[in-house]
Amino acid sequence: MNHPPILLGTSSFTATGWQGSFYPKGMKPSDYLAFYAEHFHTVEVDSTFYACPTARTVENWNARTPDGFVFSVKIPQSITHDKVLLNCDVELKEFLETIGILGDKLGSILFQFPSFDKWKIKDRHEFADRLIPFLKKLPTERKFAIEIRNKKWIDAEFANLLREHKIALVLQDRSFMPSPSDLKFDPITADWTYIRWLGDRKSIEEQTMTWDKTVVDRTVELSSWVDYCYQIKNRGVLIYAYANNHYAGHAPATIEQFRKLWQAKGLPELSKPPRMRPKESLLFE
């Protein structure tokens, strides 16, 4: 299935404060996903990080979204955090089979690893000793992305390891991790990439926990990301990009700002999903 070269969405389609700022007041939570899919091509599902969803839940996601919509999903933390890739074949098999119900709507599967202390994983080489045999178990027909939160682990050698297995290295915008421009190597490790605008969770939670409006001005950072995305799009790289509420205070507004900055630079128009019903969103009026 053909998709736009840049798929823009948010991390989760629900959040405290979105009622009235994105979703119309009074809208039932059961209608959120269908409404969301009229404004974004994709969503990063956060709930799968906490547990494998039921088949019924995944079937509902499928039924409530149009053809061409894309779900990216997080691998359960039992695999990435608790067992750290060891002795988790049963959990992996259950998750891949269940999430496979999405069919063509399944985009990337994200391994979000924590920042490991040395008592748990000594260094990147010990991590690689676990990662390499695990990667060999993954189905080659699926897209997988890996997010590393140990800054010193990300180097050309690690990127080449992911490139060998056609796994995307997640590009992050957060306070303690390098941006693509800081890296001394090409961080694009597949014919697609995965971007997460995550921000500074601790700092922004000191200012708000509501997520109904922009709190931090990210214009400079997003403008740089527009330039970078344009460059890698021209290389034929498919881009999955997701904004978290913690990035600027309101994830839907972050995506809308990215679109406006893109347009202001005179770049080729970014497509939007077809509207299935009369306009209701307050954000995009």
Side-chain angles (χ1 to χ4, degrees), residues 7-236:
L7 292 161
L8 296 168
T10 65
S11 300
S12 176
F13 57 88
T14 59
T16 303
W18 283 24
Q19 266 279 21
S21 59
F22 176 65
Y23 295 115
K25 290 182 179 179
M27 177 173 278
K28 298 177 182 178
S30 58
D31 293 329
Y32 284 176
L33 180 56
F35 181 86
Y36 175 97
E38 295 179 357
H39 299 282
F40 301 100
H41 287 291
T42 184
V43 68
E44 179 187 81
V45 182
D46 185 61
S47 61
T48 56
F49 175 74
Y50 301 99
C52 179
T54 64
R56 183 176 179 180
T57 294
V58 180
E59 289 165 356
N60 283 336
W61 293 344
N62 204 352
R64 293 175 186 274
T65 52
D67 291 344
F69 188 78
V70 175
F71 293 87
S72 287
V73 296
K74 293 183 182 181
I75 285 279
Q77 62 181 341
S78 60
I79 295 174
T80 56
H81 289 54
D82 300 336
K83 296 188 173 182
V84 194
L85 306 182
L86 297 179
N87 304 315
C88 52
D89 289 0
V90 172
E91 293 93 331
L92 179 65
K93 182 175 184 292
E94 178 192 15
F95 182 76
L96 293 179
E97 287 181 352
T98 304
I99 213 68
I101 293 170
L102 291 171
D104 290 342
K105 293 181 182 179
L106 179 57
S108 175
I109 300 172
L110 170 64
F111 287 84
Q112 177 188 295
F113 290 100
S115 178
F116 290 111
D117 293 323
K118 288 187 177 181
W119 65 266
K120 190 159 189 176
I121 302 288
K122 183 175 63 176
D123 55 27
R124 181 178 59 76
H125 300 289
E126 182 179 335
F127 179 70
D129 288 342
R130 296 192 186 196
L131 182 63
I132 292 171
F134 185 87
L135 293 181
K136 294 177 180 178
K137 302 176 184 179
L138 297 179
T140 56
E141 70 273 13
R142 297 295 186 198
K143 289 184 171 71
F144 295 95
I146 288 181
E147 179 180 300
I148 296 296
R149 297 186 175 184
N150 290 70
K151 181 177 181 178
K152 294 182 179 179
W153 292 11
I154 300 178
D155 59 14
E157 184 181 352
F158 185 72
N160 286 334
L161 167 62
L162 298 186
R163 190 172 288 113
E164 179 182 345
H165 293 274
K166 296 180 173 60
I167 306 291
L169 173 65
V170 171
L171 309 180
Q172 309 167 54
D173 189 328
R174 59 188 309 148
S175 57
F176 58 88
M177 294 300 294
S179 68
S181 60
D182 295 326
L183 301 174
K184 306 301 182 184
F185 59 91
D186 183 3
I188 306 302
T189 56
D191 59 3
W192 59 281
T193 195
Y194 199 110
I195 296 171
R196 304 188 77 209
W197 296 307
L198 299 172
D200 186 338
R201 177 181 290 265
K202 181 179 178 181
S203 173
I204 203 165
E205 286 188 356
E206 292 174 351
Q207 302 175 64
T208 187
M209 290 290 288
T210 304
W211 320 121
D212 61 349
K213 61 182 180 296
T214 296
V215 176
V216 180
D217 184 357
R218 296 287 188 184
T219 303
V220 173
E221 294 94 330
L222 276 179
S223 182
S224 293
W225 279 108
V226 166
D227 295 338
Y228 184 72
C229 287
Y230 182 64
Q231 291 170 12
I232 58 177
K233 179 190 79 70
N234 285 345
R235 291 170 53 181

